[in-house]
Every structure is written in structure tokens, then in C-alpha cells.
Amino acid sequence: MCFSPGPNNVLCAAHGSQHGFRQSLSMISGMALGWSTLGLIVAVATGAIQEFQRAFDLITYVGVAYIAYLSFKIATSKPLEKGERSEERLGFSTGVALQFVNGKAYVHFGVLMTSFGTLFGTTLSGKVLLILLNLACGLPAVMTWAAFGTVLRRAFATPESAKLLNWGMGSMLFAVAIWLVFPY
């Protein structure tokens, strides 16, 4: 599930294609912190999440709007010249904030805590261990997608092909937003 296309992975690929792998590490670090923090919140609040489902549905819709906005920014960004880097980098705080409006993350941790949480024990330390294990799988996933984005940038080196890449990456991220609203 960590490697499947979702807001984090597609955004990392798009950001990697625009800014390169190293310039994406700050955003990825923010994603890791936000992801782990959200996992801890979901672990502690698993019962309350089921009770307040409408509130979490609202978070999903806010997240979809934010993801759609990011997809628009990616799709309409101008192609960069060879060696040029865009100044509109997403940083640490964007990586953290995205996790709290990421509907897929709530579903991911909800399933993880209810289906697999008992394997590690029902105590907080067991849930923290599960979150750390999940982070150990998730961090290589987003880094792989960011690296994939840098490869895409080299493959789409002309301004015309770079414009197509931006449009394609933005469209894929928008498709993820639509999928979060209509998952089936």
C-alpha cells in the first residue's frame, strides 16, 4: 500500500521532476513527520474515528480540495529550462500539512490499526511499533517516487515534452483526488 499511487507518492514524483531529488528531501521529511504523527493520532483515536465519521469525511473533502489545488499548480507550472530549478518548492511544512488532509492516510491508518494493530498488541507501545514499521516501508516509497520524478524530467527534456509531463503529473494527482471522493 505504501508504494501505491496516492497524494504523497504522486506529489513526490511531480516535485522530483520539477526540482530534483535533493530539493524534495525537505518535503519528504515533513511527510515522514506528519505521517507518523497522524498515525499516532489515529492509533489513539481509533474508536472516536468510527463515532465521528462525518468529521473525518469533512477532512477528506478538505484534503481533496487541497490535492486538487496542488494538481492544478503542477499541471500549469511552466517547463523549466535545462539546469533551471523552480523557486516554488514545497517544503517541510507542506509535507506535514498534507498528511492531515490526506484522506488516503486516514483510511490507511484506520485499516492498519484495526486489522493489524492487535498483532503488535493493543498498548500504545505496540501501536507505535506498527507506526515505525509503516514509516520504514513508507519512507522508501516516497523517496522512490521522487527519484522516479527526476528520471522523468530527464526523459522529458524539451519544453514541449516537459509541459506534457507537468500536465500528466498534475492530471494523475487530480485523479487521486477524484478517487478519494469516489473510491469504488
Side-chain angles (χ1 to χ4, degrees), residues 46-88:
T46 302
I49 289 171
Q50 293 170 342
E51 190 176 325
F52 298 106
Q53 186 60 44
R54 288 185 190 258
F56 287 94
D57 289 344
L58 177 64
I59 290 170
T60 297
Y61 293 121
V62 169
V64 164
Y66 185 60
I67 292 164
Y69 166 75
L70 290 175
S71 72
F72 173 77
K73 293 288 285 179
I74 291 166
T76 59
S77 63
K78 71 177 182 84
L80 301 175
E81 299 296 324
K82 190 173 181 111
E84 179 186 11
R85 297 271 186 233
S86 171
E87 296 303 315
E88 293 187 33

